[in-house]
Amino acid sequence: MALLEIKNLNVTYQTKDRKIKAVEDVSLTIEQGAPLGIVGESGSGKSTLAMAVLRMLPESTLVNGEVRLKGTDLLSLSDEKLRALRWKELSVVFQKSMNLLSPVHRIDRQLIDMYRVHEPKAAAADVRKILARLLEMVNLPERVLKSYPHELSGGQLQRVSIAASLMHNPPFVILDEATTALDVITQGQILNEINALREKMNVTWMLITHDISVVSSCCSCVAVMYAGRLMEYGTTEQVICHPGHPYTQGLLGSFPTLYGEKESLQGIPGNMPDLAEKPDGCVFASRCPRATEACRKGTMTMTDVGDGHLTACLLERR
């Protein structure tokens, strides 16, 4: 069953004299119980896509297309109806967990206030029991509720953020670079907890990251973005084991592995194009080692290369 459907989504930031196409013609479907990882380097449009789904972009931003959660078009909802859905039907764990909480109030007071936005008559004692159960799920003791944010480590704060996103048991949660600022060991622990929570609470994630190794451990499907465009989409096995787009291959080639033969890491040369003046043809052509004149002049569309594995590479169509 389709939990979230994104169809032809476009996001354009407007300045005085420029229009920056941060997301361009993106279509994705996330099935219930099949978490999706969105990967790409910084500036590729991943977080903008997430904020568009949540409708948390500045009012001056142009957004068009469709974003349907369980059949409801989020982009056409009134602000009041959207507020009623947030945290109950969809929620988010932001990249900077320290920004979630006020530094001068204890954590329990803040989380209880958050809970009461949707349940204003809930007793504090009952909410504390719910919060204690959620903290236990993310491997934090109940005493954390009486702490101030500055008394916790980055990993603990990230766990508090994950617990806060689940307090109303939403079916869909966006994790925006939720493990980026953490050390490798803490990151691994949190990813294990995310997998466990998916089974315990029947929650489906959309995980945004620049680290393609992260999605391999906790996502069923992967979408690769570059310069606001969708480059590749498929199951995790399809995308990571059989990448069809040169950009995906470049991402995988720049990541070290602990297994197999030792190979030199290869970065992707060049820089991302100006999103206000995108070139014709494939947006990756200027950095692609296989690009031809046809790539620079052709039309980018997603093509099925087998079993639902989609790629925007013009070379794959031959």
Side-chain angles (χ1 to χ4, degrees), residues 123-275:
D126 293 335
V127 180
R128 280 195 182 90
K129 290 179 182 178
I130 294 171
L131 296 175
R133 177 177 58 84
L134 288 171
L135 290 180
E136 183 182 2
M137 287 184 178
V138 293
N139 286 324
L140 287 178
E142 185 177 351
R143 58 180 169 78
V144 164
L145 290 172
K146 289 299 182 182
S147 302
Y148 289 96
H150 70 268
E151 296 178 300
L152 303 183
S153 68
Q156 289 173 321
L157 283 172
Q158 199 63 58
R159 288 177 167 91
V160 171
S161 297
I162 293 171
S165 74
L166 297 170
M167 62 173 62
H168 290 291
N169 198 23
F172 180 64
V173 178
I174 295 174
L175 300 171
D176 187 7
E177 300 277 13
T179 61
T180 296
L182 306 176
D183 62 82
V184 175
I185 293 176
T186 304
Q187 175 180 279
Q189 292 170 346
I190 288 182
L191 290 175
N192 289 336
E193 289 155 12
I194 286 172
N195 281 328
L197 286 169
R198 183 180 72 186
E199 297 175 4
K200 289 178 182 177
M201 303 190 70
N202 195 29
V203 61
T204 302
W205 312 100
M206 183 166 83
L207 175 65
I208 294 169
T209 179
H210 65 270
D211 187 343
I212 200 167
S213 68
V214 169
V215 300
S216 65
S217 63
C218 58
C219 294
S220 302
C221 300
V222 179
V224 181
M225 288 188 70
Y226 176 79
R229 298 296 299 259
L230 194 60
M231 297 283 105
E232 188 162 359
Y233 173 82
T235 65
T236 303
E237 181 180 1
Q238 287 172 335
V239 174
I240 292 181
C241 298
H242 308 285
H245 198 284
Y247 179 60
T248 310
Q249 295 165 8
L251 290 178
L252 290 166
S254 61
F255 185 81
T257 177
L258 297 177
Y259 306 101
E261 296 182 8
K262 292 182 179 180
E263 297 181 0
S264 298
L265 295 181
Q266 300 293 327
I268 302 174
N271 298 298
M272 196 176 296
D274 186 344
L275 298 186

Side-chain angles (χ1 to χ4, degrees), residues 4-11 23 26 48-57 61-69 71-79 81-82 85-86 90:
L4 184 80
E5 294 177 279
I6 300 173
K7 294 182 180 179
N8 306 118
L9 183 65
N10 291 271
V11 179
V23 173
V26 169
T48 294
L49 175 67
M51 293 303 104
V53 171
L54 293 162
R55 274 181 51 186
M56 297 181 69
L57 293 168
T61 309
L62 295 177
V63 181
N64 58 65
E66 293 183 22
V67 178
R68 295 187 176 275
L69 180 69
T72 301
D73 189 358
L74 301 180
L75 299 185
S76 63
L77 284 180
S78 66
D79 291 343
K81 289 183 178 179
L82 183 64
L85 285 180
R86 282 180 181 157
L90 74 161

